[in-house]
Short mmCIF file of all heavy atoms in Angstrom, two decimals:
data_model
loop_
_atom_site.label_atom_id
_atom_site.label_comp_id
_atom_site.label_asym_id
_atom_site.label_seq_id
_atom_site.Cartn_x
_atom_site.Cartn_y
_atom_site.Cartn_z
N GLN A 37 110.77 105.37 101.65
CA GLN A 37 111.81 104.34 101.75
C GLN A 37 112.39 104.32 103.15
O GLN A 37 112.92 105.32 103.63
CB GLN A 37 112.92 104.56 100.73
CG GLN A 37 113.95 103.43 100.72
CD GLN A 37 115.05 103.61 99.70
OE1 GLN A 37 115.39 104.72 99.33
NE2 GLN A 37 115.60 102.50 99.21
N THR A 38 112.28 103.18 103.82
CA THR A 38 112.86 102.98 105.14
C THR A 38 113.66 101.69 105.12
O THR A 38 113.37 100.78 104.33
CB THR A 38 111.78 102.89 106.23
OG1 THR A 38 110.91 101.78 105.90
CG2 THR A 38 110.98 104.15 106.34
N PRO A 39 114.65 101.56 106.01
CA PRO A 39 115.43 100.32 106.05
C PRO A 39 114.56 99.09 106.34
O PRO A 39 114.79 98.02 105.81
CB PRO A 39 116.44 100.57 107.18
CG PRO A 39 116.55 102.04 107.27
CD PRO A 39 115.18 102.57 106.93
N GLY A 40 113.55 99.26 107.17
CA GLY A 40 112.75 98.12 107.57
C GLY A 40 111.69 97.71 106.57
O GLY A 40 111.46 96.53 106.33
N GLN A 41 111.05 98.67 105.94
CA GLN A 41 109.93 98.40 105.04
C GLN A 41 110.29 98.53 103.57
O GLN A 41 109.47 98.18 102.71
CB GLN A 41 108.76 99.35 105.35
CG GLN A 41 108.21 99.23 106.76
CD GLN A 41 107.65 97.85 107.02
OE1 GLN A 41 106.94 97.28 106.20
NE2 GLN A 41 107.99 97.28 108.17
N GLY A 42 111.46 99.01 103.27
CA GLY A 42 111.84 99.17 101.86
C GLY A 42 111.09 100.33 101.23
O GLY A 42 110.74 101.30 101.89
N LEU A 43 110.84 100.20 99.93
CA LEU A 43 110.15 101.25 99.17
C LEU A 43 108.67 100.95 99.11
O LEU A 43 108.26 99.91 98.59
CB LEU A 43 110.71 101.28 97.74
CG LEU A 43 112.00 102.07 97.57
CD1 LEU A 43 112.80 101.53 96.40
CD2 LEU A 43 111.69 103.54 97.35
N GLN A 44 107.87 101.87 99.62
CA GLN A 44 106.43 101.65 99.64
C GLN A 44 105.71 102.82 98.97
O GLN A 44 106.03 103.98 99.20
CB GLN A 44 105.94 101.51 101.08
CG GLN A 44 106.45 100.25 101.76
CD GLN A 44 105.82 100.08 103.12
OE1 GLN A 44 106.11 100.82 104.06
NE2 GLN A 44 104.95 99.12 103.24
N PHE A 45 104.71 102.46 98.17
CA PHE A 45 103.90 103.43 97.44
C PHE A 45 102.98 104.17 98.38
O PHE A 45 102.26 103.56 99.19
CB PHE A 45 103.11 102.66 96.38
CG PHE A 45 102.12 103.49 95.62
CD1 PHE A 45 102.52 104.31 94.57
CD2 PHE A 45 100.77 103.43 95.93
CE1 PHE A 45 101.61 105.05 93.86
CE2 PHE A 45 99.85 104.17 95.22
CZ PHE A 45 100.26 104.98 94.18
N LEU A 46 102.99 105.50 98.27
CA LEU A 46 102.12 106.32 99.10
C LEU A 46 100.86 106.70 98.34
O LEU A 46 99.75 106.37 98.75
CB LEU A 46 102.86 107.60 99.52
CG LEU A 46 103.77 107.46 100.74
CD1 LEU A 46 104.88 108.49 100.70
CD2 LEU A 46 102.97 107.59 102.02
N PHE A 47 101.02 107.44 97.26
CA PHE A 47 99.89 107.82 96.41
C PHE A 47 100.38 108.37 95.08
O PHE A 47 101.56 108.66 94.91
CB PHE A 47 98.95 108.83 97.08
CG PHE A 47 99.61 109.78 98.05
CD1 PHE A 47 100.57 110.68 97.64
CD2 PHE A 47 99.25 109.76 99.39
CE1 PHE A 47 101.17 111.55 98.54
CE2 PHE A 47 99.83 110.62 100.29
CZ PHE A 47 100.79 111.52 99.88
N GLU A 48 99.42 108.52 94.17
CA GLU A 48 99.71 109.02 92.83
C GLU A 48 98.68 110.05 92.42
O GLU A 48 97.47 109.87 92.69
CB GLU A 48 99.73 107.88 91.80
CG GLU A 48 100.13 108.34 90.40
CD GLU A 48 99.03 108.18 89.36
OE1 GLU A 48 97.99 107.55 89.66
OE2 GLU A 48 99.22 108.67 88.23
N TYR A 49 99.15 111.12 91.81
CA TYR A 49 98.28 112.17 91.32
C TYR A 49 98.42 112.32 89.81
O TYR A 49 99.52 112.19 89.27
CB TYR A 49 98.60 113.50 92.01
CG TYR A 49 98.14 113.52 93.43
CD1 TYR A 49 98.95 113.03 94.44
CD2 TYR A 49 96.88 114.00 93.77
CE1 TYR A 49 98.51 113.01 95.76
CE2 TYR A 49 96.44 114.00 95.08
CZ TYR A 49 97.26 113.50 96.07
OH TYR A 49 96.83 113.48 97.36
N PHE A 50 97.31 112.60 89.19
CA PHE A 50 97.28 112.83 87.75
C PHE A 50 96.23 113.90 87.49
O PHE A 50 95.08 113.75 87.92
CB PHE A 50 96.94 111.52 87.02
CG PHE A 50 96.98 111.63 85.52
CD1 PHE A 50 98.17 111.43 84.84
CD2 PHE A 50 95.85 111.92 84.79
CE1 PHE A 50 98.23 111.51 83.46
CE2 PHE A 50 95.89 112.02 83.41
CZ PHE A 50 97.09 111.81 82.75
N SER A 51 96.63 114.95 86.81
CA SER A 51 95.72 116.06 86.52
C SER A 51 94.98 116.51 87.77
O SER A 51 93.75 116.63 87.78
CB SER A 51 94.71 115.65 85.44
OG SER A 51 95.37 115.46 84.22
N GLU A 52 95.73 116.71 88.83
CA GLU A 52 95.25 117.28 90.10
C GLU A 52 94.33 116.35 90.88
O GLU A 52 93.73 116.77 91.88
CB GLU A 52 94.56 118.63 89.85
CG GLU A 52 95.45 119.66 89.18
CD GLU A 52 94.72 120.96 88.89
OE1 GLU A 52 94.32 121.63 89.85
OE2 GLU A 52 94.57 121.30 87.70
N THR A 53 94.22 115.11 90.45
CA THR A 53 93.34 114.14 91.13
C THR A 53 94.16 112.97 91.65
O THR A 53 95.04 112.46 90.95
CB THR A 53 92.27 113.64 90.16
OG1 THR A 53 91.53 114.74 89.67
CG2 THR A 53 91.33 112.65 90.85
N GLN A 54 93.84 112.53 92.86
CA GLN A 54 94.51 111.35 93.39
C GLN A 54 93.89 110.11 92.75
O GLN A 54 92.70 109.85 92.89
CB GLN A 54 94.35 111.28 94.91
CG GLN A 54 95.19 110.16 95.54
CD GLN A 54 94.96 110.05 97.04
OE1 GLN A 54 94.06 109.36 97.50
NE2 GLN A 54 95.79 110.74 97.80
N ARG A 55 94.73 109.33 92.08
CA ARG A 55 94.22 108.16 91.36
C ARG A 55 94.48 106.85 92.08
O ARG A 55 93.73 105.90 91.95
CB ARG A 55 94.85 108.05 89.98
CG ARG A 55 94.30 108.95 88.95
CD ARG A 55 94.60 108.45 87.56
NE ARG A 55 96.02 108.22 87.31
CZ ARG A 55 96.52 108.04 86.11
NH1 ARG A 55 95.74 108.03 85.05
NH2 ARG A 55 97.82 107.84 85.93
N ASN A 56 95.58 106.80 92.81
CA ASN A 56 95.95 105.57 93.50
C ASN A 56 96.42 105.93 94.90
O ASN A 56 97.01 107.00 95.10
CB ASN A 56 97.12 104.86 92.80
CG ASN A 56 96.66 104.05 91.61
OD1 ASN A 56 95.85 103.15 91.73
ND2 ASN A 56 97.19 104.38 90.45
N LYS A 57 96.19 105.04 95.82
CA LYS A 57 96.60 105.31 97.19
C LYS A 57 97.15 104.03 97.79
O LYS A 57 96.58 102.94 97.60
CB LYS A 57 95.40 105.80 98.01
CG LYS A 57 95.74 106.36 99.36
CD LYS A 57 94.49 106.94 100.02
CE LYS A 57 94.80 107.67 101.31
NZ LYS A 57 95.54 106.84 102.28
N GLY A 58 98.24 104.15 98.52
CA GLY A 58 98.82 103.00 99.21
C GLY A 58 98.20 102.85 100.59
O GLY A 58 97.21 103.50 100.93
N ASN A 59 98.81 101.98 101.39
CA ASN A 59 98.27 101.68 102.72
C ASN A 59 98.94 102.51 103.81
O ASN A 59 99.64 101.97 104.66
CB ASN A 59 98.42 100.19 103.02
CG ASN A 59 97.65 99.34 102.03
OD1 ASN A 59 96.54 99.69 101.64
ND2 ASN A 59 98.26 98.24 101.62
N PHE A 60 98.73 103.77 103.78
CA PHE A 60 99.28 104.66 104.79
C PHE A 60 98.14 105.36 105.51
O PHE A 60 97.07 105.57 104.96
CB PHE A 60 100.21 105.70 104.13
CG PHE A 60 101.59 105.17 103.85
CD1 PHE A 60 101.84 104.40 102.73
CD2 PHE A 60 102.64 105.43 104.73
CE1 PHE A 60 103.11 103.89 102.50
CE2 PHE A 60 103.92 104.93 104.48
CZ PHE A 60 104.14 104.16 103.36
N PRO A 61 98.39 105.76 106.79
CA PRO A 61 97.31 106.43 107.53
C PRO A 61 96.97 107.79 106.94
O PRO A 61 97.72 108.35 106.15
CB PRO A 61 97.91 106.57 108.95
CG PRO A 61 99.37 106.41 108.79
CD PRO A 61 99.60 105.53 107.61
N GLY A 62 95.84 108.31 107.39
CA GLY A 62 95.34 109.58 106.87
C GLY A 62 96.24 110.78 107.18
O GLY A 62 96.05 111.86 106.62
N ARG A 63 97.24 110.56 108.06
CA ARG A 63 98.18 111.65 108.36
C ARG A 63 99.00 112.02 107.11
O ARG A 63 99.57 113.10 107.03
CB ARG A 63 99.15 111.24 109.45
CG ARG A 63 98.51 110.92 110.79
CD ARG A 63 99.56 110.64 111.85
NE ARG A 63 100.42 109.50 111.58
CZ ARG A 63 101.70 109.58 111.22
NH1 ARG A 63 102.29 110.76 111.08
NH2 ARG A 63 102.40 108.48 111.02
N PHE A 64 99.05 111.10 106.19
CA PHE A 64 99.79 111.31 104.94
C PHE A 64 98.80 111.77 103.88
O PHE A 64 97.83 111.08 103.58
CB PHE A 64 100.47 110.02 104.48
CG PHE A 64 101.59 109.58 105.37
CD1 PHE A 64 101.34 108.89 106.55
CD2 PHE A 64 102.92 109.86 105.04
CE1 PHE A 64 102.38 108.48 107.38
CE2 PHE A 64 103.96 109.45 105.85
CZ PHE A 64 103.69 108.77 107.03
#
Side-chain angles (χ1 to χ4, degrees):
Chain A
Q37 185 179 28
T38 59
Q41 299 298 316
L43 277 153
Q44 293 186 290
F45 174 80
L46 277 154
F47 31 63
E48 184 244 352
Y49 287 86
F50 184 87
S51 293
E52 302 177 65
T53 302
Q54 188 183 87
R55 282 201 305 194
N56 279 301
K57 191 175 187 305
N59 298 321
F60 279 81
R63 298 185 298 108
F64 292 81

